[in-house]
Amino acid sequence: MINQAPYPTVLKPYGRALVELARRREDVVCLSGDLTRQTEVDLFQEEFPDRFIHAAMAEANMISVAGALARRGFIPFVHTFGVFATRRPFDQIVNCVAYPNLPVRIVGFMPGVSSPGGPSHQAIDDVALMRVLPNMTVLDLADATEVAQAVEAIVDVAGPVYLRLKRGETPVIFDDSHRLSLDRAHVVLEGDDVAIFACGMMLPAALSAAQVLAGAGVSASVVNVAVIKPLDRASVVAVATRARAVVSAENHSIIGGLGSALAEVLAEEALARPLRRVGLADTFAQGAQNASWLFTTYGLATQDVVDASWEALGRDLPAPTAPTLTSPAGEYAPV
Amino acid sequence: MAKQLPYLGGMMSGRVRDIQRSADLLRLRAVRMVAPHGFGYLGQVLSSAELMASLFSRAFRPGVDELVVSPGHYIIVAYAAGPELGLLDEALLSTYGVDGSSLEAIGTESSPVADVTGGSLGQGLSSAAGLALAARLRGSEGRVFALLSDGELEEGQVWEAAMFAAHRGLDNLVVLLDANDSQVDGPVSSITTVEPIAAKWESFGWTAIDVDGHDVAALVEALDEALAAQRPAIVIARTSTSHGLSCLPEGADGHFIKISGALIDDALAELAARVD
């Protein structure tokens, strides 16, 4: 079952899940790069001070230390914002984590333009940077139910994992009966005209877009691709095959992330479908007051998913108009 | 565990003369490894031979302690000591750097002897600090030795790691710095100023011991002091990339020495005479 937008939200689903895990698993250690409360691991620090490691504002050292801890049987969960988790210590991730194939969990908060802090704080390339690395598993989540389950799901993955999480209020899209799978993408809605593949914070927009399209007589599948790598090729092929067009929606550059991954599969499977990629169109964004303004300005709104679907299907313009959803305090609505 | 062989078996005897001969054995093996290629990381062995022979003979306990070779091309000196450490067969040394060999010229995950992948300079001390922290968390007696080079001090991550290790009081961590004043573009001192090295480390909360890196007695004393220190410690070994091989031509490029023809024979003869 899925909830309807605007979604209820919760705080610190990740932080609580990590504490739950650490109660049972003494091999779990937690590193923070001076963003402890922002990455929800103040909860871990309170309960397990001996397994909490302040690594300071020194991401390169933090990643290399985590790699060494993983070599000696610990499962390090490393926390900072997505930009600092991937750009600054990229070479350290390569040599100290990915190439040795060590079970380090790199948790990058505040994806894409969910940060109004401008290009220095907007992780628009983190999925691309992590996806290109051999051995790396890449998850992009925005639903609290999946976030809570992801901690448990990834702890025993043999190699490294990059976990991309929304900061702050996290929408509850799925109810407790939902099960996150690392192997299968989740077909949330089934439709015959257009297949919309979304990840992370773009899932709500994809679901809203599907409703708008349904109102205009267009039937859309919506696939929640929580695991971008390794990509569930079978589900991509199955869902794309029954559709006439494919749309990707990601809070990330359209280069190197989910859209690129889909394009690779479609081309390799000789599955000829028009593809439109919704995301940052090979551009840096900017600082602003509100993330919602950035989502609209940089083409990551529900309307952009509707437009991309409409265009990919070759329909005559104009595309149907997405209603503006208001999000009451404490709730989350797609832009 | 280590086989007890004549030279590196000095761990048991601790005799300065045995350690010096062990250093020359490392040089001899390095010449043999590099000779088929005509060039290679021989200068790094010439400079660090006494430092590493002292470590392996006096301090390093295979299977208990850990070794990080941060400048990955220095892995050749660890390979050269590998047979006595019980970590590789001497016959394998002849495959150094050849296609398909596990003895890659720049240390990797498949390298025997060293515990992490080196090569991208500046990362090794962080890895060593992580290993030392892991030993601390586990209550293990193991010590971690990290070989660094002076050129590597140009990398910012070294200083991130220096702060981290001192803040956490990792007294089971010892850095061996081969200060040979050599990097790719020339002498380190001509490219940037890394001095005063000892004062830098002391100001970062480390015990720093600055010694002649070809004086075995001084190195042994420095290692003892480093291991006794109640905080992380660094042995700064002042060395030369041409030390211990007098037949090398004047002005040879210490970072990547070329060696061929009669020079190989001269080098092997000079070193064999001292080892035997």
Side-chain angles (χ1 to χ4, degrees), chain A residues 29 50 52-55 57-61 64-65 68-69 71-74 91-92 95-96 99-100, chain B residues 66 108-110 115-118 120 123 126-127 129-131 133-134 137-138 157 160-161 164 168:
Chain A
V29 294
D50 295 343
F52 177 83
I53 299 155
H54 265 309
M57 267 184 282
E59 292 80 8
N61 182 65
S64 298
V65 165
L69 289 166
R71 280 181 195 273
R72 294 297 172 261
F74 293 99
D91 188 34
Q92 287 75 18
N95 286 287
C96 299
Y99 161 56
Chain B
E66 295 169 292
T108 67
E109 290 300 302
S110 68
D115 284 293
V116 308
T117 290
S120 182
Q123 299 186 8
S126 296
S127 297
L131 294 175
L133 178 59
L137 289 169
R138 294 200 172 289
Q157 187 182 354
E160 292 184 4
F164 179 84
R168 302 199 71 89

mmCIF file of all heavy atoms in Angstrom, chain A residues 29 50 52-55 57-61 64-65 68-69 71-74 91-92 95-96 99-100, chain B residues 66 108-110 115-118 120 123 126-127 129-131 133-134 137-138 157 160-161 164 168:
data_model
loop_
_atom_site.group_PDB
_atom_site.id
_atom_site.type_symbol
_atom_site.label_atom_id
_atom_site.label_comp_id
_atom_site.label_asym_id
_atom_site.label_seq_id
_atom_site.Cartn_x
_atom_site.Cartn_y
_atom_site.Cartn_z
ATOM 1 N N VAL A 29 30.474 0.344 13.468
ATOM 2 C CA VAL A 29 31.050 1.572 14.009
ATOM 3 C C VAL A 29 30.583 2.750 13.152
ATOM 4 O O VAL A 29 30.188 2.570 12.001
ATOM 5 C CB VAL A 29 32.594 1.533 14.062
ATOM 6 C CG1 VAL A 29 33.076 0.493 15.058
ATOM 7 C CG2 VAL A 29 33.192 1.269 12.685
ATOM 8 N N ASP A 50 31.564 4.703 22.520
ATOM 9 C CA ASP A 50 32.832 4.012 22.259
ATOM 10 C C ASP A 50 32.973 3.570 20.808
ATOM 11 O O ASP A 50 34.072 3.275 20.348
ATOM 12 C CB ASP A 50 32.973 2.778 23.161
ATOM 13 C CG ASP A 50 33.077 3.175 24.618
ATOM 14 O OD1 ASP A 50 33.365 4.358 24.886
ATOM 15 O OD2 ASP A 50 32.834 2.304 25.492
ATOM 16 N N PHE A 52 31.607 5.423 18.348
ATOM 17 C CA PHE A 52 31.390 6.628 17.550
ATOM 18 C C PHE A 52 32.727 7.332 17.375
ATOM 19 O O PHE A 52 33.436 7.592 18.356
ATOM 20 C CB PHE A 52 30.384 7.556 18.234
ATOM 21 C CG PHE A 52 30.176 8.843 17.498
ATOM 22 C CD1 PHE A 52 29.290 8.907 16.433
ATOM 23 C CD2 PHE A 52 30.890 9.978 17.837
ATOM 24 C CE1 PHE A 52 29.113 10.092 15.733
ATOM 25 C CE2 PHE A 52 30.720 11.169 17.138
ATOM 26 C CZ PHE A 52 29.826 11.224 16.085
ATOM 27 N N ILE A 53 33.080 7.654 16.156
ATOM 28 C CA ILE A 53 34.386 8.241 15.873
ATOM 29 C C ILE A 53 34.186 9.596 15.196
ATOM 30 O O ILE A 53 33.744 9.658 14.047
ATOM 31 C CB ILE A 53 35.211 7.301 14.967
ATOM 32 C CG1 ILE A 53 35.443 5.964 15.673
ATOM 33 C CG2 ILE A 53 36.543 7.966 14.583
ATOM 34 C CD1 ILE A 53 35.688 4.814 14.725
ATOM 35 N N HIS A 54 34.514 10.659 15.922
ATOM 36 C CA HIS A 54 34.546 11.975 15.302
ATOM 37 C C HIS A 54 35.734 12.007 14.364
ATOM 38 O O HIS A 54 36.881 11.953 14.803
ATOM 39 C CB HIS A 54 34.752 13.052 16.382
ATOM 40 C CG HIS A 54 33.485 13.665 16.882
ATOM 41 N ND1 HIS A 54 32.520 14.175 16.049
ATOM 42 C CD2 HIS A 54 33.026 13.870 18.134
ATOM 43 C CE1 HIS A 54 31.522 14.666 16.766
ATOM 44 N NE2 HIS A 54 31.792 14.484 18.042
ATOM 45 N N ALA A 55 35.487 12.106 13.090
ATOM 46 C CA ALA A 55 36.607 12.157 12.145
ATOM 47 C C ALA A 55 36.942 13.592 11.739
ATOM 48 O O ALA A 55 37.862 13.809 10.955
ATOM 49 C CB ALA A 55 36.303 11.319 10.912
ATOM 50 N N MET A 57 36.471 17.571 10.200
ATOM 51 C CA MET A 57 36.304 18.016 8.803
ATOM 52 C C MET A 57 37.513 17.564 8.009
ATOM 53 O O MET A 57 38.387 18.364 7.661
ATOM 54 C CB MET A 57 36.200 19.540 8.761
ATOM 55 C CG MET A 57 34.802 20.056 8.816
ATOM 56 S SD MET A 57 34.824 21.830 8.634
ATOM 57 C CE MET A 57 35.334 22.318 10.268
ATOM 58 N N ALA A 58 37.580 16.299 7.763
ATOM 59 C CA ALA A 58 38.745 15.733 7.081
ATOM 60 C C ALA A 58 38.264 14.464 6.384
ATOM 61 O O ALA A 58 38.534 13.348 6.814
ATOM 62 C CB ALA A 58 39.850 15.436 8.084
ATOM 63 N N GLU A 59 37.550 14.671 5.283
ATOM 64 C CA GLU A 59 36.861 13.542 4.643
ATOM 65 C C GLU A 59 37.825 12.530 4.056
ATOM 66 O O GLU A 59 37.539 11.328 4.046
ATOM 67 C CB GLU A 59 35.910 14.058 3.560
ATOM 68 C CG GLU A 59 34.718 14.852 4.101
ATOM 69 C CD GLU A 59 35.067 16.302 4.446
ATOM 70 O OE1 GLU A 59 36.189 16.735 4.120
ATOM 71 O OE2 GLU A 59 34.224 16.999 5.040
ATOM 72 N N ALA A 60 38.955 13.005 3.539
ATOM 73 C CA ALA A 60 39.917 12.072 2.958
ATOM 74 C C ALA A 60 40.395 11.092 4.027
ATOM 75 O O ALA A 60 40.382 9.871 3.841
ATOM 76 C CB ALA A 60 41.099 12.837 2.361
ATOM 77 N N ASN A 61 40.801 11.653 5.166
ATOM 78 C CA ASN A 61 41.255 10.793 6.264
ATOM 79 C C ASN A 61 40.128 9.880 6.748
ATOM 80 O O ASN A 61 40.337 8.692 7.022
ATOM 81 C CB ASN A 61 41.755 11.670 7.410
ATOM 82 C CG ASN A 61 42.289 10.858 8.569
ATOM 83 O OD1 ASN A 61 43.285 10.158 8.439
ATOM 84 N ND2 ASN A 61 41.606 10.923 9.711
ATOM 85 N N SER A 64 39.692 6.853 4.439
ATOM 86 C CA SER A 64 40.810 5.903 4.534
ATOM 87 C C SER A 64 40.787 5.168 5.870
ATOM 88 O O SER A 64 41.060 3.958 5.929
ATOM 89 C CB SER A 64 42.146 6.634 4.367
ATOM 90 O OG SER A 64 42.235 7.240 3.091
ATOM 91 N N VAL A 65 40.466 5.870 6.940
ATOM 92 C CA VAL A 65 40.351 5.220 8.249
ATOM 93 C C VAL A 65 39.231 4.176 8.209
ATOM 94 O O VAL A 65 39.393 3.052 8.697
ATOM 95 C CB VAL A 65 40.089 6.268 9.353
ATOM 96 C CG1 VAL A 65 39.613 5.607 10.638
ATOM 97 C CG2 VAL A 65 41.355 7.087 9.615
ATOM 98 N N ALA A 68 40.337 1.021 6.553
ATOM 99 C CA ALA A 68 41.211 0.211 7.415
ATOM 100 C C ALA A 68 40.393 -0.507 8.488
ATOM 101 O O ALA A 68 40.652 -1.682 8.796
ATOM 102 C CB ALA A 68 42.278 1.096 8.046
ATOM 103 N N LEU A 69 39.408 0.171 9.056
ATOM 104 C CA LEU A 69 38.553 -0.488 10.062
ATOM 105 C C LEU A 69 37.811 -1.667 9.431
ATOM 106 O O LEU A 69 37.667 -2.730 10.046
ATOM 107 C CB LEU A 69 37.562 0.524 10.646
ATOM 108 C CG LEU A 69 38.168 1.599 11.565
ATOM 109 C CD1 LEU A 69 37.161 2.723 11.795
ATOM 110 C CD2 LEU A 69 38.601 1.001 12.897
ATOM 111 N N ARG A 71 38.820 -3.476 6.994
ATOM 112 C CA ARG A 71 39.781 -4.577 6.794
ATOM 113 C C ARG A 71 39.901 -5.455 8.030
ATOM 114 O O ARG A 71 40.267 -6.621 7.945
ATOM 115 C CB ARG A 71 41.184 -4.017 6.497
ATOM 116 C CG ARG A 71 41.400 -3.578 5.102
ATOM 117 C CD ARG A 71 42.829 -3.081 4.930
ATOM 118 N NE ARG A 71 42.933 -2.349 3.688
ATOM 119 C CZ ARG A 71 43.185 -2.930 2.504
ATOM 120 N NH1 ARG A 71 43.399 -4.218 2.419
ATOM 121 N NH2 ARG A 71 43.245 -2.202 1.411
ATOM 122 N N ARG A 72 39.653 -4.848 9.173
ATOM 123 C CA ARG A 72 39.835 -5.582 10.425
ATOM 124 C C ARG A 72 38.503 -6.009 11.042
ATOM 125 O O ARG A 72 38.390 -6.180 12.253
ATOM 126 C CB ARG A 72 40.646 -4.738 11.402
ATOM 127 C CG ARG A 72 42.080 -4.501 10.925
ATOM 128 C CD ARG A 72 42.876 -5.803 10.822
ATOM 129 N NE ARG A 72 44.175 -5.600 10.193
ATOM 130 C CZ ARG A 72 44.425 -5.855 8.900
ATOM 131 N NH1 ARG A 72 43.464 -6.321 8.105
ATOM 132 N NH2 ARG A 72 45.620 -5.646 8.404
ATOM 133 N N GLY A 73 37.492 -6.155 10.195
ATOM 134 C CA GLY A 73 36.263 -6.809 10.645
ATOM 135 C C GLY A 73 35.162 -5.898 11.133
ATOM 136 O O GLY A 73 34.100 -6.377 11.525
ATOM 137 N N PHE A 74 35.387 -4.596 11.115
ATOM 138 C CA PHE A 74 34.313 -3.687 11.499
ATOM 139 C C PHE A 74 33.474 -3.330 10.271
ATOM 140 O O PHE A 74 33.931 -3.451 9.129
ATOM 141 C CB PHE A 74 34.885 -2.404 12.119
ATOM 142 C CG PHE A 74 35.556 -2.636 13.446
ATOM 143 C CD1 PHE A 74 36.938 -2.757 13.534
ATOM 144 C CD2 PHE A 74 34.800 -2.779 14.601
ATOM 145 C CE1 PHE A 74 37.560 -2.995 14.760
ATOM 146 C CE2 PHE A 74 35.420 -3.007 15.831
ATOM 147 C CZ PHE A 74 36.800 -3.125 15.906
ATOM 148 N N ASP A 91 39.328 9.837 -4.504
ATOM 149 C CA ASP A 91 40.504 8.983 -4.669
ATOM 150 C C ASP A 91 40.659 8.027 -3.491
ATOM 151 O O ASP A 91 41.090 6.881 -3.658
ATOM 152 C CB ASP A 91 41.744 9.879 -4.810
ATOM 153 C CG ASP A 91 42.990 9.104 -5.177
ATOM 154 O OD1 ASP A 91 42.880 8.116 -5.917
ATOM 155 O OD2 ASP A 91 44.085 9.484 -4.726
ATOM 156 N N GLN A 92 40.285 8.503 -2.306
ATOM 157 C CA GLN A 92 40.356 7.623 -1.128
ATOM 158 C C GLN A 92 39.304 6.515 -1.228
ATOM 159 O O GLN A 92 39.553 5.371 -0.825
ATOM 160 C CB GLN A 92 40.139 8.434 0.156
ATOM 161 C CG GLN A 92 41.325 9.320 0.532
ATOM 162 C CD GLN A 92 41.458 10.557 -0.340
ATOM 163 O OE1 GLN A 92 40.525 10.970 -1.023
ATOM 164 N NE2 GLN A 92 42.628 11.175 -0.317
ATOM 165 N N ASN A 95 40.823 3.910 -3.730
ATOM 166 C CA ASN A 95 41.961 3.083 -3.312
ATOM 167 C C ASN A 95 41.795 2.400 -1.960
ATOM 168 O O ASN A 95 42.375 1.341 -1.736
ATOM 169 C CB ASN A 95 43.236 3.939 -3.291
ATOM 170 C CG ASN A 95 43.738 4.230 -4.690
ATOM 171 O OD1 ASN A 95 44.262 3.347 -5.351
ATOM 172 N ND2 ASN A 95 43.541 5.443 -5.149
ATOM 173 N N CYS A 96 41.037 3.017 -1.068
ATOM 174 C CA CYS A 96 40.929 2.479 0.296
ATOM 175 C C CYS A 96 39.638 1.710 0.517
ATOM 176 O O CYS A 96 39.470 1.074 1.558
ATOM 177 C CB CYS A 96 41.015 3.614 1.320
ATOM 178 S SG CYS A 96 42.565 4.528 1.260
ATOM 179 N N TYR A 99 38.314 -0.420 -4.580
ATOM 180 C CA TYR A 99 39.214 -1.422 -5.160
ATOM 181 C C TYR A 99 39.461 -2.593 -4.201
ATOM 182 O O TYR A 99 39.361 -3.760 -4.612
ATOM 183 C CB TYR A 99 40.530 -0.748 -5.605
ATOM 184 C CG TYR A 99 41.673 -1.706 -5.779
ATOM 185 C CD1 TYR A 99 41.573 -2.799 -6.637
ATOM 186 C CD2 TYR A 99 42.853 -1.548 -5.067
ATOM 187 C CE1 TYR A 99 42.621 -3.701 -6.775
ATOM 188 C CE2 TYR A 99 43.901 -2.435 -5.201
ATOM 189 C CZ TYR A 99 43.782 -3.513 -6.047
ATOM 190 O OH TYR A 99 44.798 -4.407 -6.162
ATOM 191 N N PRO A 100 39.717 -2.337 -2.908
ATOM 192 C CA PRO A 100 39.848 -3.487 -1.984
ATOM 193 C C PRO A 100 38.518 -4.156 -1.665
ATOM 194 O O PRO A 100 38.502 -5.167 -0.972
ATOM 195 C CB PRO A 100 40.438 -2.859 -0.710
ATOM 196 C CG PRO A 100 40.872 -1.488 -1.072
ATOM 197 C CD PRO A 100 40.051 -1.056 -2.235
ATOM 198 N N GLU B 66 51.481 -4.688 11.908
ATOM 199 C CA GLU B 66 51.033 -4.445 10.543
ATOM 200 C C GLU B 66 51.932 -3.415 9.882
ATOM 201 O O GLU B 66 52.499 -2.559 10.546
ATOM 202 C CB GLU B 66 49.585 -3.967 10.551
ATOM 203 C CG GLU B 66 48.667 -5.077 11.065
ATOM 204 C CD GLU B 66 47.259 -4.599 11.363
ATOM 205 O OE1 GLU B 66 47.085 -3.818 12.310
ATOM 206 O OE2 GLU B 66 46.354 -5.006 10.638
ATOM 207 N N THR B 108 49.600 -3.344 -4.447
ATOM 208 C CA THR B 108 48.158 -3.461 -4.641
ATOM 209 C C THR B 108 47.600 -4.440 -3.613
ATOM 210 O O THR B 108 48.303 -4.909 -2.726
ATOM 211 C CB THR B 108 47.809 -4.005 -6.036
ATOM 212 O OG1 THR B 108 48.268 -5.361 -6.117
ATOM 213 C CG2 THR B 108 48.446 -3.170 -7.125
ATOM 214 N N GLU B 109 46.335 -4.781 -3.790
ATOM 215 C CA GLU B 109 45.698 -5.758 -2.898
ATOM 216 C C GLU B 109 46.339 -7.131 -3.012
ATOM 217 O O GLU B 109 46.220 -7.951 -2.116
ATOM 218 C CB GLU B 109 44.206 -5.854 -3.201
ATOM 219 C CG GLU B 109 43.414 -4.631 -2.795
ATOM 220 C CD GLU B 109 43.497 -4.321 -1.304
ATOM 221 O OE1 GLU B 109 43.136 -5.197 -0.504
ATOM 222 O OE2 GLU B 109 43.931 -3.211 -0.956
ATOM 223 N N SER B 110 46.975 -7.424 -4.131
ATOM 224 C CA SER B 110 47.567 -8.759 -4.282
ATOM 225 C C SER B 110 48.992 -8.812 -3.757
ATOM 226 O O SER B 110 49.629 -9.860 -3.783
ATOM 227 C CB SER B 110 47.531 -9.188 -5.760
ATOM 228 O OG SER B 110 48.399 -8.383 -6.521
ATOM 229 N N ASP B 115 49.958 -4.274 4.076
ATOM 230 C CA ASP B 115 48.578 -4.520 4.485
ATOM 231 C C ASP B 115 47.526 -3.688 3.778
ATOM 232 O O ASP B 115 46.339 -3.951 3.935
ATOM 233 C CB ASP B 115 48.444 -4.313 6.001
ATOM 234 C CG ASP B 115 49.032 -5.476 6.771
ATOM 235 O OD1 ASP B 115 48.458 -6.575 6.674
ATOM 236 O OD2 ASP B 115 50.071 -5.314 7.414
ATOM 237 N N VAL B 116 47.912 -2.654 3.054
ATOM 238 C CA VAL B 116 46.914 -1.881 2.306
ATOM 239 C C VAL B 116 47.489 -1.514 0.946
ATOM 240 O O VAL B 116 48.684 -1.624 0.707
ATOM 241 C CB VAL B 116 46.478 -0.577 3.032
ATOM 242 C CG1 VAL B 116 46.045 -0.835 4.453
ATOM 243 C CG2 VAL B 116 47.581 0.458 3.000
ATOM 244 N N THR B 117 46.610 -1.065 0.063
ATOM 245 C CA THR B 117 47.043 -0.582 -1.238
ATOM 246 C C THR B 117 47.648 0.805 -1.097
ATOM 247 O O THR B 117 47.005 1.710 -0.574
ATOM 248 C CB THR B 117 45.847 -0.535 -2.207
ATOM 249 O OG1 THR B 117 45.452 -1.866 -2.518
ATOM 250 C CG2 THR B 117 46.216 0.192 -3.493
ATOM 251 N N GLY B 118 48.884 0.952 -1.543
ATOM 252 C CA GLY B 118 49.508 2.270 -1.526
ATOM 253 C C GLY B 118 49.474 2.854 -2.924
ATOM 254 O O GLY B 118 48.716 2.408 -3.779
ATOM 255 N N SER B 120 48.653 5.904 -4.313
ATOM 256 C CA SER B 120 48.106 7.245 -4.443
ATOM 257 C C SER B 120 48.568 7.979 -3.196
ATOM 258 O O SER B 120 48.040 7.788 -2.099
ATOM 259 C CB SER B 120 46.581 7.200 -4.538
ATOM 260 O OG SER B 120 46.088 8.505 -4.716
ATOM 261 N N GLN B 123 47.795 8.713 1.358
ATOM 262 C CA GLN B 123 46.686 7.988 1.975
ATOM 263 C C GLN B 123 47.133 7.000 3.050
ATOM 264 O O GLN B 123 46.346 6.609 3.911
ATOM 265 C CB GLN B 123 45.881 7.220 0.907
ATOM 266 C CG GLN B 123 45.267 8.143 -0.120
ATOM 267 C CD GLN B 123 44.352 7.433 -1.099
ATOM 268 O OE1 GLN B 123 44.037 6.267 -0.948
ATOM 269 N NE2 GLN B 123 43.921 8.145 -2.107
ATOM 270 N N SER B 126 46.622 7.570 6.917
ATOM 271 C CA SER B 126 45.227 7.422 7.358
ATOM 272 C C SER B 126 44.868 5.949 7.512
ATOM 273 O O SER B 126 44.198 5.556 8.473
ATOM 274 C CB SER B 126 44.276 8.072 6.354
ATOM 275 O OG SER B 126 44.467 9.458 6.278
ATOM 276 N N SER B 127 45.289 5.147 6.547
ATOM 277 C CA SER B 127 45.012 3.708 6.640
ATOM 278 C C SER B 127 45.690 3.121 7.874
ATOM 279 O O SER B 127 45.100 2.323 8.600
ATOM 280 C CB SER B 127 45.509 2.983 5.387
ATOM 281 O OG SER B 127 44.808 3.437 4.250
ATOM 282 N N ALA B 129 46.475 4.703 10.577
ATOM 283 C CA ALA B 129 45.757 5.165 11.761
ATOM 284 C C ALA B 129 44.480 4.344 11.961
ATOM 285 O O ALA B 129 44.110 4.018 13.097
ATOM 286 C CB ALA B 129 45.426 6.657 11.621
ATOM 287 N N GLY B 130 43.812 4.002 10.853
ATOM 288 C CA GLY B 130 42.611 3.157 10.947
ATOM 289 C C GLY B 130 42.939 1.775 11.488
ATOM 290 O O GLY B 130 42.209 1.224 12.317
ATOM 291 N N LEU B 131 44.056 1.208 11.019
ATOM 292 C CA LEU B 131 44.471 -0.107 11.534
ATOM 293 C C LEU B 131 44.822 -0.014 13.020
ATOM 294 O O LEU B 131 44.497 -0.912 13.812
ATOM 295 C CB LEU B 131 45.672 -0.632 10.745
ATOM 296 C CG LEU B 131 45.441 -0.965 9.270
ATOM 297 C CD1 LEU B 131 46.752 -1.347 8.593
ATOM 298 C CD2 LEU B 131 44.409 -2.079 9.104
ATOM 299 N N LEU B 133 43.626 2.146 15.124
ATOM 300 C CA LEU B 133 42.366 2.323 15.850
ATOM 301 C C LEU B 133 41.628 0.993 15.983
ATOM 302 O O LEU B 133 41.073 0.673 17.045
ATOM 303 C CB LEU B 133 41.502 3.358 15.127
ATOM 304 C CG LEU B 133 40.128 3.644 15.724
ATOM 305 C CD1 LEU B 133 40.235 4.143 17.160
ATOM 306 C CD2 LEU B 133 39.385 4.678 14.859
ATOM 307 N N ALA B 134 41.651 0.212 14.910
ATOM 308 C CA ALA B 134 41.006 -1.104 14.959
ATOM 309 C C ALA B 134 41.676 -1.975 16.018
ATOM 310 O O ALA B 134 40.993 -2.676 16.794
ATOM 311 C CB ALA B 134 41.073 -1.790 13.588
ATOM 312 N N LEU B 137 40.453 -0.782 19.356
ATOM 313 C CA LEU B 137 39.066 -1.181 19.626
ATOM 314 C C LEU B 137 38.975 -2.669 19.985
ATOM 315 O O LEU B 137 38.124 -3.084 20.759
ATOM 316 C CB LEU B 137 38.172 -0.878 18.408
ATOM 317 C CG LEU B 137 37.892 0.608 18.138
ATOM 318 C CD1 LEU B 137 37.237 0.795 16.763
ATOM 319 C CD2 LEU B 137 37.008 1.206 19.224
ATOM 320 N N ARG B 138 39.858 -3.454 19.392
ATOM 321 C CA ARG B 138 39.843 -4.894 19.642
ATOM 322 C C ARG B 138 40.674 -5.287 20.860
ATOM 323 O O ARG B 138 40.731 -6.449 21.225
ATOM 324 C CB ARG B 138 40.392 -5.645 18.432
ATOM 325 C CG ARG B 138 39.536 -5.534 17.208
ATOM 326 C CD ARG B 138 39.835 -6.654 16.238
ATOM 327 N NE ARG B 138 38.881 -6.637 15.144
ATOM 328 C CZ ARG B 138 37.606 -6.978 15.272
ATOM 329 N NH1 ARG B 138 37.137 -7.383 16.433
ATOM 330 N NH2 ARG B 138 36.800 -6.918 14.233
ATOM 331 N N GLN B 157 46.408 15.223 3.056
ATOM 332 C CA GLN B 157 45.799 14.156 3.855
ATOM 333 C C GLN B 157 46.738 13.645 4.940
ATOM 334 O O GLN B 157 46.293 13.181 5.990
ATOM 335 C CB GLN B 157 45.358 12.994 2.957
ATOM 336 C CG GLN B 157 44.559 11.934 3.720
ATOM 337 C CD GLN B 157 44.155 10.764 2.855
ATOM 338 O OE1 GLN B 157 44.362 10.764 1.655
ATOM 339 N NE2 GLN B 157 43.567 9.750 3.472
ATOM 340 N N GLU B 160 45.953 15.640 7.890
ATOM 341 C CA GLU B 160 44.661 15.235 8.466
ATOM 342 C C GLU B 160 44.879 14.020 9.366
ATOM 343 O O GLU B 160 44.370 13.940 10.491
ATOM 344 C CB GLU B 160 43.663 14.844 7.367
ATOM 345 C CG GLU B 160 43.174 15.962 6.471
ATOM 346 C CD GLU B 160 42.111 15.500 5.466
ATOM 347 O OE1 GLU B 160 41.675 14.325 5.502
ATOM 348 O OE2 GLU B 160 41.712 16.325 4.648
ATOM 349 N N ALA B 161 45.630 13.069 8.838
ATOM 350 C CA ALA B 161 45.867 11.830 9.581
ATOM 351 C C ALA B 161 46.727 12.083 10.817
ATOM 352 O O ALA B 161 46.521 11.470 11.874
ATOM 353 C CB ALA B 161 46.541 10.800 8.671
ATOM 354 N N PHE B 164 44.488 13.399 13.447
ATOM 355 C CA PHE B 164 43.569 12.351 13.898
ATOM 356 C C PHE B 164 44.280 11.395 14.857
ATOM 357 O O PHE B 164 43.776 11.078 15.938
ATOM 358 C CB PHE B 164 43.044 11.591 12.672
ATOM 359 C CG PHE B 164 42.109 10.454 12.981
ATOM 360 C CD1 PHE B 164 40.750 10.682 13.176
ATOM 361 C CD2 PHE B 164 42.577 9.144 13.047
ATOM 362 C CE1 PHE B 164 39.883 9.635 13.450
ATOM 363 C CE2 PHE B 164 41.718 8.092 13.317
ATOM 364 C CZ PHE B 164 40.368 8.342 13.521
ATOM 365 N N ARG B 168 43.560 11.010 18.965
ATOM 366 C CA ARG B 168 43.079 9.755 19.531
ATOM 367 C C ARG B 168 44.162 9.035 20.335
ATOM 368 O O ARG B 168 43.919 7.928 20.826
ATOM 369 C CB ARG B 168 42.520 8.847 18.434
ATOM 370 C CG ARG B 168 41.387 9.497 17.649
ATOM 371 C CD ARG B 168 40.554 8.491 16.910
ATOM 372 N NE ARG B 168 39.737 7.705 17.821
ATOM 373 C CZ ARG B 168 38.506 8.045 18.215
ATOM 374 N NH1 ARG B 168 37.961 9.153 17.793
ATOM 375 N NH2 ARG B 168 37.835 7.265 19.040
#
